[in-house]
Amino acid sequence: GVTGDGVLDEDALREPVSTLDPRKPVVVGPQTPALEAVAVMREQGMGCVLVVRSNRLKGIFTERDVLNHLVGLGPEVVKTPVRKLMTGNPETLRPSDSIAYALNKMSLGGYRHIPLVDNSDTPVGVISVKDIVNYLVKLFPKSVMNLPTLPRGNYAREREGA
């Protein structure tokens, strides 16, 4: 929760990641063409798909993989299976793990999405950095919503040192 003076206390971060109302996982098989996986991501409005074989998580394929691997492939892109471009054996969480633990994993690993799995490694959800940000904003909406916004012009001048 939030203390009376609007300071975030640690209890809010001890809540399980299931509190974030994780999205259902969108799954594809290892042999799914990478382009088809991208189409599924777009259709579902997801930043990733989970790669599953026999109901077990084998990898994650994200927007970052599209940019880093798929874009430069040329004609063979049509035939490339998602297993060749995915991140294998990704970091995972259980729905009962704390939001603090999720934040720590995401921060250390530079991840934007983490699959949630059950005890048999079957995907049951996905959480994103955006889910955590939205949760934090809901906890103290007044503090966040009442901040003044700076005109964009100031940022450009400051960054260029002019």
Side-chain angles (χ1 to χ4, degrees):
V2 174
T3 60
D5 56 5
V7 176
L8 182 68
D9 69 20
E10 286 182 27
D11 288 346
L13 296 179
R14 285 197 192 102
E15 290 290 322
V17 291
S18 57
T19 307
L20 301 172
D21 196 20
R23 293 193 62 177
K24 292 212 179 325
V26 176
V27 301
V28 298
Q31 291 304 117
T32 302
L35 285 180
E36 193 179 306
V38 172
V40 169
M41 285 163 59
R42 286 187 61 188
E43 247 167 55
Q44 301 289 327
M46 293 286 280
C48 68
V49 291
L50 303 184
V51 182
V52 171
R53 190 173 62 231
S54 305
N55 285 335
R56 296 180 95 103
L57 181 69
K58 294 298 173 190
I60 186 170
F61 181 65
T62 68
E63 295 160 320
R64 195 178 284 167
D65 294 319
V66 173
L67 292 173
N68 290 343
H69 306 299
L70 200 59
V71 172
L73 275 178
E76 71 267 27
V77 72
V78 178
K79 292 185 227 129
T80 306
V82 73
R83 71 180 166 75
K84 289 197 171 173
L85 305 175
M86 71 182 189
T87 301
N89 303 314
E91 289 279 353
T92 61
L93 294 166
R94 301 270 189 260
S96 57
D97 287 334
S98 72
I99 292 170
Y101 186 56
L103 267 172
N104 186 43
K105 273 196 173 197
M106 290 172 135
S107 177
L108 290 175
Y111 312 126
R112 286 179 292 187
H113 300 89
I114 295 192
L116 304 182
V117 295
D118 65 14
N119 293 336
S120 60
D121 254 359
T122 300
V124 294
V126 175
I127 60 160
S128 68
V129 172
K130 192 175 166 190
D131 296 330
I132 296 175
V133 169
N134 290 343
Y135 170 76
L136 294 174
V137 167
K138 277 184 200 147
L139 284 180
F140 44 110
K142 286 194 183 95
S143 311
V144 175
M145 300 307 175
N146 293 333
L147 290 173
T149 56
L150 288 172
R152 287 237 176 254
N154 290 352
Y155 291 120
R157 279 199 299 280
E158 286 172 19
R159 284 208 186 108
E160 290 161 7

